[in-house]
Amino acid sequence: MKKNSLRFIAGLSAAAMFAMPMANAVAAPLTILAAGEGSITVKNLDESTSYEAYQILGPDMLFTSPAMQQAVSDTMKSLGWPIFDELINSELTDAEKAYMFSDMMAELTQDRKIIFANRLGENLRNSQIPHTAIPSSEKVNVPDGYYILVCNNKVDGDKEAATTKNILIRVSGDAEIYSKNESGTPTVDKDTNPSLAEWKTITIGEKQDQKTLVLPYTITASFPANIGDYKAYTMTFKDKIPAGIEITDDEYTSMDVKLVAVKGEDETEIEIADYSLGGRTDEGQQIITWKTLELIQALKNQGVIEKASDLEGVTLKLTYDLVINQDEVEATTTIDPTTNTITIEYPTDPFPGNNDPDHEGEGITDSTPETPENIYLYNLDLSKIDENNQALAGAEFQLFLVKNGMEQKVDTWVVKDGEDGSHFTFTGLVEGDYILKETVVPNGYKAIEPIEFTIKEVPGDGETVSAIEIINKNNDTHFTVTLGDKSETTDGKTKVTTTTAKIQATLVNDKGPNLPLTGESGMTLGLIVGGIVIAVSGYAVLKNKKEENA
């Protein structure tokens, strides 16, 4: 932009600013009609926090010093936003640059104002520019002008785009503002219990009798300690499900999603405002988003709380059943978990609109760090052989997961590999107790008694699994289990150790009559007993006839 054009715009900006009414806010450009004295009062969330007030522009609409102008220019350069480029590289006078700076501040979106305030505050903190101490909740007299209040607590760099501890404000008269310091952070955790996993045959949309593995998940969230300061509060759960698993709208209806507020022993169900099934991340994880209603008002309406501060003793619990089908279970031979992560997005400003007539802080949110939850799924690779260690076809199996002494049929997928029909792979197993039953026995061979075994995970670092153990409970020699040895590979200075997660089992049948399987022994016993009864009855009839003829 040419120099004369910039001057024309600066002149219009200055004229507009002098025509505007006064307000204690960030969004509007500075308008100072006459030099005077005002005051600043900061109402903090944290009474131990204080601020340092740096005057950027004076009532004459000029930068207060060359050092301040340089600090503003350096901040603009470091951010690299196009809106600042022409001003930084222009040949305007200092007065024209000051006018343009004020005008640009009015044009920035709220999140960019926050970023600018945090970055400028860090530059000023290390400078020798004079400033005025603003203690907590005390009225301090200052000249009218345009200020930045720099919090005496350090701003976390990775949070500067979401929340601010530094405040931009213009002063014309008495200015009362609310500190954005320490807005409060909720907590969130995600958990699943593999022992509660179930195999279910369900209908999904138009697909009948779908064999699925159902894993129950629980997401627990708490409110921040300063929840009582909020007028409204909404949480958005962003759940990244394991890579490879696809949730559709039809499948979502089978997930039994519930959101409840837990207070002591009482649980109150809350309506979920909306959900969306997003696309996939770079890691292949699909994102499910649940948005809550305005929680404070919703829980007041349902009698759970009377005021916002009552939420300090309340937690939110979101539960659902993750439905996994065969195509979504990765057949892995190493102990790699399927990972879920959860984060919640929450408001950071308890007082939207109090510092700005254009609703400063409204809609500004932050997110909790992602919390991972790992699930480990295993495969049973079963080979059927005879007494000569040769492949043996003709068998069929059923697998049962034992819970609380009860057998639950594992309606798992069984892949018959090879043309000889002697190789089977059970996929998608979780840690727990199992019973393997041979339901069809090859001709000319004896049936094998049910085999009981346990898949036990060996803890690693943190919540990871370093290895698995297979416990053959009845020590059946027909059922031989091997786990691949740990293998180490070296890539430069990196040594990688992997352990197999595939359970390789060999099942041997002995030669002999094909005795009845479980469930048929009663029938055989009945036939034997019936035969004895018939024989005894026949003998009695013959004896009676002989006595009659004698």
Side-chain angles (χ1 to χ4, degrees):
M1 184 180 291
K2 293 181 180 180
K3 182 177 178 181
N4 289 338
S5 299
L6 284 171
R7 283 179 172 166
F8 176 73
I9 294 173
L12 290 178
S13 300
M17 286 185 284
F18 277 99
M20 291 181 62
M22 296 297 93
N24 298 323
V26 177
L30 174 65
T31 306
I32 302 299
L33 298 179
E37 186 175 85
S39 68
I40 298 175
T41 304
V42 178
K43 296 184 176 181
N44 286 307
L45 304 180
D46 179 358
E47 293 299 324
S48 66
T49 301
S50 62
Y51 285 82
E52 296 170 350
Y54 292 81
Q55 189 175 17
I56 301 175
L57 301 178
D60 54 3
M61 291 300 296
L62 295 176
F63 285 107
T64 53
S65 68
M68 176 58 75
Q69 181 173 335
Q70 188 63 48
V72 170
S73 178
D74 290 344
T75 301
M76 289 180 169
K77 289 178 182 178
S78 68
L79 291 171
W81 295 341
I83 189 174
F84 293 147
D85 288 346
E86 291 179 329
L87 178 59
I88 293 171
N89 299 321
S90 70
E91 298 179 1
L92 295 175
T93 66
D94 290 346
E96 290 167 338
K97 286 186 176 181
Y99 290 140
M100 288 293 291
F101 164 75
S102 179
D103 191 51
M104 287 180 176
M105 288 297 101
E107 295 298 321
L108 290 181
T109 59
Q110 184 56 37
D111 59 340
R112 287 201 166 193
K113 288 177 192 171
I114 288 173
I115 295 172
F116 180 83
N118 285 331
R119 190 70 61 85
L120 177 60
E122 287 301 300
N123 290 338
L124 293 174
R125 191 192 303 277
N126 301 319
S127 73
Q128 301 298 316
I129 298 176
H131 55 271
T132 301
I134 310 291
S136 171
S137 300
E138 290 187 18
K139 182 178 180 179
V140 178
N141 294 327
V142 295
D144 287 341
Y146 191 21
Y147 289 81
I148 178 172
L149 305 186
V150 180
C151 180
N152 62 11
N153 295 333
K154 184 174 176 59
V155 177
D156 295 331
D158 61 340
K159 297 294 183 185
E160 67 178 5
T163 185
T164 182
K165 295 180 180 180
N166 303 331
I167 303 170
L168 293 167
I169 185 174
R170 65 174 184 163
V171 176
S172 178
D174 294 328
E176 291 187 352
I177 63 173
Y178 290 82
S179 168
K180 300 302 182 296
N181 179 52
E182 303 298 345
S183 62
T185 304
T187 62
V188 64
D189 186 45
K190 186 173 185 178
D191 185 53
T192 187
N193 186 349
S195 67
L196 300 178
E198 292 185 346
W199 286 91
K200 294 182 179 179
T201 301
I202 61 178
T203 298
I204 301 176
E206 298 179 354
K207 297 181 179 179
Q208 305 293 323
D209 298 333
Q210 294 296 294
K211 293 181 179 181
T212 61
L213 173 62
V214 178
L215 289 173
Y217 276 96
T218 300
I219 299 171
T220 304
S222 71
F223 292 92
N226 68 319
I227 187 64
D229 295 319
Y230 283 82
K231 305 302 180 186
Y233 205 83
T234 300
M235 285 187 183
T236 300
F237 295 82
K238 293 188 175 181
D239 188 12
K240 296 180 182 179
I241 64 174
I245 298 177
E246 181 78 32
I247 303 297
T248 64
D249 285 311
D250 287 335
E251 198 167 79
Y252 184 85
T253 60
S254 304
M255 291 173 57
D256 193 23
V257 182
K258 291 182 181 178
L259 177 65
V260 298
V262 182
K263 186 175 184 180
E265 300 295 326
D266 299 327
E267 294 190 359
T268 304
E269 189 165 351
I270 307 170
E271 181 182 352
I272 300 176
D274 194 13
Y275 79 90
S276 64
L277 302 174
R280 293 189 176 276
T281 65
D282 292 339
E283 294 75 25
Q285 293 178 281
Q286 185 184 25
I287 301 175
I288 308 178
T289 300
W290 293 280
K291 186 175 182 179
T292 70
L293 298 171
E294 201 287 285
L295 290 166
I296 295 176
Q297 190 59 49
L299 294 175
K300 282 181 179 179
N301 294 342
Q302 293 180 264
V304 178
I305 61 172
E306 294 182 359
K307 53 187 183 299
S309 59
D310 294 339
L311 285 174
E312 291 184 25
V314 175
T315 57
L316 294 181
K317 186 168 66 174
L318 190 150
T319 59
Y320 69 93
D321 293 332
L322 182 63
V323 178
I324 306 175
N325 62 46
Q326 180 179 10
D327 297 333
E328 295 167 341
V329 176
E330 183 178 358
T332 178
T333 57
T334 58
I335 298 182
D336 296 322
T338 59
T339 302
N340 293 37
T341 58
I342 182 67
T343 184
I344 55 176
E345 188 178 89
Y346 58 93
T348 60
D349 189 353
F351 312 107
N354 282 338
N355 293 348
D356 190 292
D358 292 330
H359 308 290
E360 178 202 359
E362 192 168 72
I364 303 300
T365 62
D366 199 356
S367 296
T368 60
E370 289 190 345
T371 301
E373 174 68 16
N374 294 332
I375 287 294
Y376 294 84
L377 300 176
Y378 309 105
N379 304 325
L380 171 59
D381 188 8
L382 180 63
S383 296
K384 185 72 171 178
I385 61 175
D386 61 17
E387 72 281 4
N388 297 318
N389 202 32
Q390 299 298 310
L392 181 62
E396 292 184 9
F397 300 93
Q398 282 187 355
L399 189 62
F400 297 84
L401 181 62
V402 181
K403 294 183 180 180
N404 300 320
M406 303 294 292
E407 295 181 10
Q408 176 194 324
K409 182 181 178 183
V410 177
D411 202 5
T412 185
W413 308 288
V414 182
V415 181
K416 295 182 179 181
D417 301 324
E419 296 181 357
D420 58 14
S422 64
H423 188 197
F424 306 84
T425 301
F426 295 80
T427 62
L429 306 183
V430 296
E431 180 184 33
D433 298 323
Y434 292 87
I435 297 179
L436 179 67
K437 297 182 180 181
E438 189 176 28
T439 54
V440 175
V441 182
N443 290 329
Y445 288 84
K446 295 179 181 179
I448 295 174
E449 291 294 322
I451 296 169
E452 300 181 25
F453 66 96
T454 299
I455 301 176
K456 182 180 179 181
E457 295 175 343
V458 179
D461 296 333
E463 297 183 359
T464 63
V465 173
S466 63
I468 55 174
E469 295 178 356
I470 306 301
I471 303 170
N472 187 351
K473 288 187 173 181
N474 46 4
N475 296 317
D476 194 325
T477 57
H478 294 84
F479 185 67
T480 303
V481 179
T482 59
L483 290 173
D485 295 332
K486 290 184 178 180
S487 60
E488 294 184 352
T489 58
T490 302
D491 180 11
K493 296 181 180 180
T494 303
K495 180 180 291 186
V496 180
T497 302
T498 59
T499 305
T500 183
K502 179 176 284 188
I503 309 161
Q504 296 175 317
T506 303
L507 195 56
V508 183
N509 276 91
D510 294 332
K511 281 279 190 179
N514 188 346
L515 297 177
L517 300 176
T518 302
E520 296 181 357
S521 57
M523 182 183 298
T524 303
L525 180 60
L527 291 174
I528 295 173
V529 173
I532 294 174
V533 171
I534 293 172
V536 171
S537 299
Y539 172 77
V541 170
L542 291 175
K543 183 178 180 181
N544 289 335
K545 286 187 176 181
K546 287 181 179 179
E547 291 177 350
E548 290 176 359
N549 296 329

